[in-house]
Amino acid sequence: MAPSFSSSTTSCAALDASKSVKTRREQVVLAYVLFAGLAGAVLHFVAGGEFSAIVTLSVMFQCLAMLLLFLQSLSSGSSDGISARALALEAFSLCCRLSSTTWLDGYLPVDASGDGIFQATDVCTLLLVVCLLVHVLAVQRASYQEQEDSLPILPMVLGSFVLAALLHADLNSRPLFDALWMAGLFIGVLAVIPQFWLVSKTGGRIEALTSHFIAMMAVSRLLSGIFMW
């Protein structure tokens, strides 16, 4: 009877794993569909097709990237493959950006999406980042790869603030907040490096949704770069 019981257990485990994969796939598809609908609505009905809306689309892609990473954490019940240091840099970047965009107009898109949607998207992204940090560092700490996630980030933060103090623009006409916005930009560009470091330290192994996260962050940075160019 023992072999039969073992076979039954294995079959149930395989079935549960299959259901989990299917559920995760459905969640990802739903996230993409909802994002596509929201992005299209913002671009055509709110921004009126204005080129400046590309900045809002950039932060929406960033929000989608964080949502996909959060779905990975929830569906797998593990923080395996997620860099807390990368998330910390993203949180720094978002806080610096919001310190300017929540009350100053200098770095907002000039279309209607800059009247609240842009800022609300950044706030949603920051909340997702905070939730992810709580999961990685507290709820799922047992699976956090702390030894591999070892890239120092303090020099990145300090270097970004020094460069921002020297190179910031003046669209806000307030040097402090101009510098904070620029520091957020520099830190945001560097934020993905600890994630790549973690992937390299774990033998190049990467979860499917982590690859989606990296891809969406790349699209976000590309759109931002196109606008600034």
Side-chain angles (χ1 to χ4, degrees), residues 63-79:
C63 188
L64 174 63
M66 290 302 167
L67 176 60
L68 293 172
L69 201 61
F70 189 57
L71 287 177
Q72 175 187 315
S73 175
L74 288 180
S75 60
S76 67
S78 169
S79 62

PDB file of all heavy atoms in Angstrom, residues 63-79:
ATOM      1  N   CYS A  63       5.238  51.185 -12.374  1.00  0.00           N
ATOM      2  CA  CYS A  63       4.248  50.659 -11.435  1.00  0.00           C
ATOM      3  C   CYS A  63       3.883  49.220 -11.804  1.00  0.00           C
ATOM      4  O   CYS A  63       3.754  48.355 -10.935  1.00  0.00           O
ATOM      5  CB  CYS A  63       3.007  51.555 -11.442  1.00  0.00           C
ATOM      6  SG  CYS A  63       1.798  51.148 -10.161  1.00  0.00           S
ATOM      7  N   LEU A  64       3.715  48.961 -13.095  1.00  0.00           N
ATOM      8  CA  LEU A  64       3.424  47.603 -13.551  1.00  0.00           C
ATOM      9  C   LEU A  64       4.561  46.654 -13.179  1.00  0.00           C
ATOM     10  O   LEU A  64       4.314  45.514 -12.743  1.00  0.00           O
ATOM     11  CB  LEU A  64       3.208  47.597 -15.061  1.00  0.00           C
ATOM     12  CG  LEU A  64       3.031  46.222 -15.722  1.00  0.00           C
ATOM     13  CD1 LEU A  64       1.774  45.532 -15.200  1.00  0.00           C
ATOM     14  CD2 LEU A  64       2.969  46.361 -17.235  1.00  0.00           C
ATOM     15  N   ALA A  65       5.794  47.104 -13.343  1.00  0.00           N
ATOM     16  CA  ALA A  65       6.945  46.266 -12.989  1.00  0.00           C
ATOM     17  C   ALA A  65       6.896  45.862 -11.520  1.00  0.00           C
ATOM     18  O   ALA A  65       7.102  44.687 -11.168  1.00  0.00           O
ATOM     19  CB  ALA A  65       8.241  47.028 -13.286  1.00  0.00           C
ATOM     20  N   MET A  66       6.600  46.817 -10.637  1.00  0.00           N
ATOM     21  CA  MET A  66       6.526  46.517  -9.214  1.00  0.00           C
ATOM     22  C   MET A  66       5.347  45.607  -8.887  1.00  0.00           C
ATOM     23  O   MET A  66       5.432  44.739  -8.009  1.00  0.00           O
ATOM     24  CB  MET A  66       6.416  47.820  -8.407  1.00  0.00           C
ATOM     25  CG  MET A  66       7.683  48.649  -8.415  1.00  0.00           C
ATOM     26  SD  MET A  66       9.089  47.722  -7.756  1.00  0.00           S
ATOM     27  CE  MET A  66      10.427  48.797  -8.261  1.00  0.00           C
ATOM     28  N   LEU A  67       4.244  45.799  -9.607  1.00  0.00           N
ATOM     29  CA  LEU A  67       3.081  44.938  -9.396  1.00  0.00           C
ATOM     30  C   LEU A  67       3.416  43.489  -9.762  1.00  0.00           C
ATOM     31  O   LEU A  67       3.047  42.558  -9.040  1.00  0.00           O
ATOM     32  CB  LEU A  67       1.904  45.440 -10.236  1.00  0.00           C
ATOM     33  CG  LEU A  67       0.628  44.578 -10.199  1.00  0.00           C
ATOM     34  CD1 LEU A  67       0.092  44.470  -8.779  1.00  0.00           C
ATOM     35  CD2 LEU A  67      -0.426  45.156 -11.137  1.00  0.00           C
ATOM     36  N   LEU A  68       4.123  43.291 -10.858  1.00  0.00           N
ATOM     37  CA  LEU A  68       4.502  41.943 -11.271  1.00  0.00           C
ATOM     38  C   LEU A  68       5.434  41.294 -10.252  1.00  0.00           C
ATOM     39  O   LEU A  68       5.308  40.105  -9.945  1.00  0.00           O
ATOM     40  CB  LEU A  68       5.171  41.994 -12.644  1.00  0.00           C
ATOM     41  CG  LEU A  68       4.273  42.394 -13.815  1.00  0.00           C
ATOM     42  CD1 LEU A  68       5.098  42.601 -15.078  1.00  0.00           C
ATOM     43  CD2 LEU A  68       3.175  41.356 -14.052  1.00  0.00           C
ATOM     44  N   LEU A  69       6.355  42.083  -9.709  1.00  0.00           N
ATOM     45  CA  LEU A  69       7.260  41.547  -8.690  1.00  0.00           C
ATOM     46  C   LEU A  69       6.486  41.205  -7.414  1.00  0.00           C
ATOM     47  O   LEU A  69       6.774  40.195  -6.750  1.00  0.00           O
ATOM     48  CB  LEU A  69       8.358  42.569  -8.387  1.00  0.00           C
ATOM     49  CG  LEU A  69       9.639  42.032  -7.747  1.00  0.00           C
ATOM     50  CD1 LEU A  69      10.313  41.007  -8.656  1.00  0.00           C
ATOM     51  CD2 LEU A  69      10.594  43.161  -7.426  1.00  0.00           C
ATOM     52  N   PHE A  70       5.499  42.025  -7.088  1.00  0.00           N
ATOM     53  CA  PHE A  70       4.668  41.753  -5.910  1.00  0.00           C
ATOM     54  C   PHE A  70       3.840  40.487  -6.109  1.00  0.00           C
ATOM     55  O   PHE A  70       3.677  39.684  -5.178  1.00  0.00           O
ATOM     56  CB  PHE A  70       3.765  42.956  -5.637  1.00  0.00           C
ATOM     57  CG  PHE A  70       3.025  42.877  -4.334  1.00  0.00           C
ATOM     58  CD1 PHE A  70       3.706  42.723  -3.137  1.00  0.00           C
ATOM     59  CD2 PHE A  70       1.641  42.963  -4.295  1.00  0.00           C
ATOM     60  CE1 PHE A  70       3.025  42.657  -1.925  1.00  0.00           C
ATOM     61  CE2 PHE A  70       0.954  42.896  -3.099  1.00  0.00           C
ATOM     62  CZ  PHE A  70       1.649  42.738  -1.913  1.00  0.00           C
ATOM     63  N   LEU A  71       3.329  40.295  -7.322  1.00  0.00           N
ATOM     64  CA  LEU A  71       2.583  39.066  -7.629  1.00  0.00           C
ATOM     65  C   LEU A  71       3.477  37.845  -7.479  1.00  0.00           C
ATOM     66  O   LEU A  71       3.027  36.787  -7.013  1.00  0.00           O
ATOM     67  CB  LEU A  71       2.023  39.133  -9.051  1.00  0.00           C
ATOM     68  CG  LEU A  71       0.838  40.073  -9.276  1.00  0.00           C
ATOM     69  CD1 LEU A  71       0.447  40.089 -10.755  1.00  0.00           C
ATOM     70  CD2 LEU A  71      -0.360  39.645  -8.422  1.00  0.00           C
ATOM     71  N   GLN A  72       4.733  37.974  -7.882  1.00  0.00           N
ATOM     72  CA  GLN A  72       5.672  36.862  -7.707  1.00  0.00           C
ATOM     73  C   GLN A  72       5.827  36.518  -6.232  1.00  0.00           C
ATOM     74  O   GLN A  72       5.783  35.347  -5.839  1.00  0.00           O
ATOM     75  CB  GLN A  72       7.031  37.217  -8.292  1.00  0.00           C
ATOM     76  CG  GLN A  72       8.095  36.138  -8.019  1.00  0.00           C
ATOM     77  CD  GLN A  72       9.476  36.557  -8.447  1.00  0.00           C
ATOM     78  OE1 GLN A  72       9.650  37.089  -9.535  1.00  0.00           O
ATOM     79  NE2 GLN A  72      10.477  36.324  -7.598  1.00  0.00           N
ATOM     80  N   SER A  73       6.008  37.549  -5.412  1.00  0.00           N
ATOM     81  CA  SER A  73       6.191  37.333  -3.979  1.00  0.00           C
ATOM     82  C   SER A  73       4.957  36.675  -3.360  1.00  0.00           C
ATOM     83  O   SER A  73       5.075  35.740  -2.563  1.00  0.00           O
ATOM     84  CB  SER A  73       6.478  38.667  -3.285  1.00  0.00           C
ATOM     85  OG  SER A  73       6.557  38.511  -1.892  1.00  0.00           O
ATOM     86  N   LEU A  74       3.776  37.133  -3.749  1.00  0.00           N
ATOM     87  CA  LEU A  74       2.541  36.585  -3.184  1.00  0.00           C
ATOM     88  C   LEU A  74       2.280  35.159  -3.652  1.00  0.00           C
ATOM     89  O   LEU A  74       1.929  34.282  -2.857  1.00  0.00           O
ATOM     90  CB  LEU A  74       1.352  37.472  -3.567  1.00  0.00           C
ATOM     91  CG  LEU A  74       1.231  38.836  -2.882  1.00  0.00           C
ATOM     92  CD1 LEU A  74      -0.011  39.559  -3.383  1.00  0.00           C
ATOM     93  CD2 LEU A  74       1.148  38.669  -1.364  1.00  0.00           C
ATOM     94  N   SER A  75       2.426  34.924  -4.947  1.00  0.00           N
ATOM     95  CA  SER A  75       2.064  33.615  -5.505  1.00  0.00           C
ATOM     96  C   SER A  75       3.054  32.520  -5.117  1.00  0.00           C
ATOM     97  O   SER A  75       2.665  31.364  -4.936  1.00  0.00           O
ATOM     98  CB  SER A  75       1.961  33.697  -7.027  1.00  0.00           C
ATOM     99  OG  SER A  75       3.197  34.090  -7.607  1.00  0.00           O
ATOM    100  N   SER A  76       4.330  32.880  -4.986  1.00  0.00           N
ATOM    101  CA  SER A  76       5.332  31.877  -4.637  1.00  0.00           C
ATOM    102  C   SER A  76       5.509  31.716  -3.129  1.00  0.00           C
ATOM    103  O   SER A  76       6.043  30.700  -2.668  1.00  0.00           O
ATOM    104  CB  SER A  76       6.681  32.245  -5.271  1.00  0.00           C
ATOM    105  OG  SER A  76       7.197  33.439  -4.694  1.00  0.00           O
ATOM    106  N   GLY A  77       5.089  32.733  -2.372  1.00  0.00           N
ATOM    107  CA  GLY A  77       5.291  32.691  -0.926  1.00  0.00           C
ATOM    108  C   GLY A  77       6.747  32.778  -0.537  1.00  0.00           C
ATOM    109  O   GLY A  77       7.148  32.373   0.554  1.00  0.00           O
ATOM    110  N   SER A  78       7.556  33.338  -1.441  1.00  0.00           N
ATOM    111  CA  SER A  78       9.006  33.394  -1.216  1.00  0.00           C
ATOM    112  C   SER A  78       9.566  34.702  -1.765  1.00  0.00           C
ATOM    113  O   SER A  78       9.044  35.269  -2.718  1.00  0.00           O
ATOM    114  CB  SER A  78       9.677  32.203  -1.915  1.00  0.00           C
ATOM    115  OG  SER A  78      11.080  32.351  -1.950  1.00  0.00           O
ATOM    116  N   SER A  79      10.655  35.148  -1.149  1.00  0.00           N
ATOM    117  CA  SER A  79      11.356  36.340  -1.639  1.00  0.00           C
ATOM    118  C   SER A  79      12.605  35.951  -2.419  1.00  0.00           C
ATOM    119  O   SER A  79      13.457  36.791  -2.691  1.00  0.00           O
ATOM    120  CB  SER A  79      11.730  37.257  -0.474  1.00  0.00           C
ATOM    121  OG  SER A  79      12.614  36.593   0.418  1.00  0.00           O
TER     122      SER A  79
END
